[in-house]
Amino acid sequence: SFARLSRMEYAILADPVMRRAAAPLIERLADQGEAGRKALMQILEAEIATRAQWAVQQPVIRAVRRGLARLGPAAAPSLPRIEQLFAMGNNPLANAAQEADEWRICMARMGKPIDDLPFPRNYKPEMIEREKAQIRKRLEEFDPAWESGYSY
């Protein structure tokens, strides 16, 4: 558990370069509850502000997503900002369809109703219903230890 971080762990998270190699530490900020939620969002905002290439940002952004998903409804105060970022034309949260799918699951874990999740305009209604069914299944089976996000 990372409910209490050491000075060294705080130093790692404060350093943009070191932080990119500390995804599991970032994710486990969720163990801190509300303080962790705030730290996750600060890290996300700092990472997005760097405007680094996706390949550089990806480990941090994924770790933030996993941390917010771990928090579930306790991360709801961050949902408006996540929705705002997700809706941007050049979505800074996802560089691939699979990443976008993971963010939809995260938003649902945070409390957004599945029927209100955003899907691409070019998705046909049957595609959206299929995606919603998959999200419901993933939510029923959600296990933060398994939902690592490292499989793609």
Side-chain angles (χ1 to χ4, degrees), residues 39-50:
L40 287 165
M41 292 305 293
Q42 288 172 345
I43 289 169
L44 179 64
E45 296 290 353
E47 192 60 41
I48 290 170
T50 68

Side-chain angles (χ1 to χ4, degrees), residues 1 7 11-12 27 37 43 67 80 85 89 93 97 103 107 112 119 121 128-129 148 150:
S1 173
R7 285 186 195 151
I12 290 168
E27 177 181 352
R37 180 194 65 81
I43 289 169
L85 291 168
L93 301 180
W103 274 104
M107 287 187 274
K112 185 157 184 78
F119 290 94
R121 291 182 190 150
I128 292 173
E129 290 309 312
S148 68
Y150 292 114

Side-chain angles (χ1 to χ4, degrees), residues 49-109:
T50 68
R51 300 191 192 286
Q53 293 179 347
W54 175 252
V56 173
Q57 291 181 324
Q58 182 179 6
V60 173
I61 292 174
R62 282 182 174 177
V64 168
R65 184 191 70 231
R66 290 189 307 270
L68 294 172
R70 276 180 179 273
L71 282 167
S78 296
L79 189 54
R81 180 62 176 148
I82 296 300
E83 290 175 301
Q84 181 184 38
L85 291 168
F86 193 82
M88 292 175 68
N90 188 11
N91 183 345
L93 301 180
N95 191 37
Q98 200 167 10
E99 291 284 349
D101 292 343
E102 295 297 324
W103 274 104
R104 286 185 196 93
I105 292 165
C106 179
M107 287 187 274
R109 288 262 317 139

Side-chain angles (χ1 to χ4, degrees), residues 9-45:
E9 290 164 336
Y10 277 115
I12 290 168
L13 293 175
D15 183 302
V17 175
M18 292 177 65
R19 179 172 56 223
R20 290 180 177 145
L25 177 60
I26 294 168
E27 177 181 352
R28 294 307 297 266
L29 284 169
D31 294 355
Q32 297 179 5
E34 177 62 12
R37 180 194 65 81
K38 288 179 180 178
L40 287 165
M41 292 305 293
Q42 288 172 345
I43 289 169
L44 179 64
E45 296 290 353

Side-chain angles (χ1 to χ4, degrees), residues 97 101 104 114 117-136:
D101 292 343
R104 286 185 196 93
I114 293 172
L117 290 170
F119 290 94
R121 291 182 190 150
N122 64 338
Y123 275 29
K124 295 179 180 178
E126 58 271 12
M127 291 172 68
I128 292 173
E129 290 309 312
R130 188 172 39 240
E131 292 291 326
K132 288 179 183 179
Q134 289 177 351
I135 290 169
R136 284 184 185 92

